[in-house]
Amino acid sequence: MACQFKKFSQSCRVVTITPIVCLALLFGSTVQAQTQSQSTFTELTQVSTESLLNVLNDRIYKVSEIQELLNVILSYPRPDVGQIQMADQLNTFGTKAFNEKNYALAVKLFGRAAKANPANLASWCNLSMASFENKDFKIAQTAALQALILQPHYRDIWILVKNACEQNKHETCQKNAEVVLQELQYIK
């Protein structure tokens, strides 16, 4: 435990946060608080992403309907910008944890970053990737769909959606993502 404290306290000094604040951010919650944080995260994204998942699972879209699908996604409400600096710091710590293959910690940090600034595309994409590596495919899908709401024209996000839908056995969603991926290069 002392080893980990040293690693994270050194990281904190680089971004000018005291080690105590860093530890409070990273490890301040108990298991009960983590469960509460998980439910808050779920509430934060549940309505929009469930609705979007329903759209993607409703039917398989034809190539001629891809632009219409993208317009529907663009019509979803965008979250407000939140605490940018905190989200960036949490994202940095999450990236470090991800690179060290500590996917459970990365999921927690990216989830907190997404909660701190729900308009940050990188936090949602990172959360999706870390959740995927952590074998939590439901959160991976939710985060990928939230990223899709923020930016439906990015191929990489559609790849995240396709992979998450595949793991969650949402075949129609997966096929729609594949169709969009094939045709996205032609859409302006």
Side-chain angles (χ1 to χ4, degrees):
M1 190 70 156
C3 238
Q4 288 180 331
F5 175 79
K6 275 187 175 175
K7 273 188 190 175
F8 285 110
S9 66
Q10 288 171 353
S11 298
C12 289
R13 284 190 197 117
V14 170
V15 291
T16 66
I17 297 178
T18 65
I20 294 170
V21 172
C22 179
L23 285 176
L25 285 172
L26 297 176
F27 302 107
S29 57
T30 63
V31 173
Q32 182 182 9
Q34 288 173 1
T35 305
Q36 185 180 12
S37 173
Q38 179 93 11
S39 67
T40 304
F41 165 75
T42 304
E43 292 168 11
L44 178 71
T45 60
Q46 190 168 20
V47 174
S48 295
T49 56
E50 281 184 12
S51 173
L52 180 54
L53 183 60
N54 288 339
V55 167
L56 292 173
N57 273 330
D58 183 42
R59 64 187 174 90
I60 296 177
Y61 288 84
K62 299 175 186 169
V63 171
S64 61
E65 298 171 318
I66 298 301
Q67 187 63 52
E68 176 187 335
L69 174 62
L70 293 174
N71 288 337
V72 167
I73 295 169
L74 283 170
S75 73
Y76 277 76
R78 302 292 185 277
D80 293 330
V81 173
Q83 300 171 347
I84 296 170
Q85 186 176 8
M86 178 183 274
D88 288 346
Q89 290 169 349
L90 289 166
N91 226 351
T92 299
F93 293 134
T95 301
K96 182 176 174 25
F98 186 89
N99 290 337
E100 293 172 354
K101 300 190 185 312
N102 188 346
Y103 302 122
L105 178 59
V107 167
K108 289 176 190 171
L109 292 168
F110 291 138
R112 289 178 182 172
K115 186 177 176 187
N117 184 9
N120 186 339
L121 180 64
S123 295
W124 292 110
C125 291
N126 291 341
L127 177 59
S128 181
M129 293 282 296
S131 298
F132 197 83
E133 291 295 330
N134 202 40
K135 308 285 189 246
D136 189 342
F137 302 120
K138 184 167 176 58
I139 289 180
Q141 178 176 291
T142 301
L145 291 171
Q146 186 63 40
L148 189 63
I149 289 171
L150 292 172
Q151 187 51 265
H153 290 92
Y154 278 12
R155 280 184 62 79
D156 290 347
I157 296 172
W158 281 101
I159 292 169
L160 289 174
V161 169
K162 179 182 97 49
N163 292 338
C165 288
E166 180 180 4
Q167 291 299 319
N168 285 306
K169 310 288 190 253
H170 292 135
E171 293 176 18
T172 306
C173 175
Q174 177 189 346
K175 288 184 194 298
N176 279 323
E178 289 169 357
V179 170
V180 171
L181 281 167
Q182 289 173 356
E183 296 301 314
L184 198 57
Q185 61 190 346
Y186 304 112
I187 297 175
K188 294 182 180 182

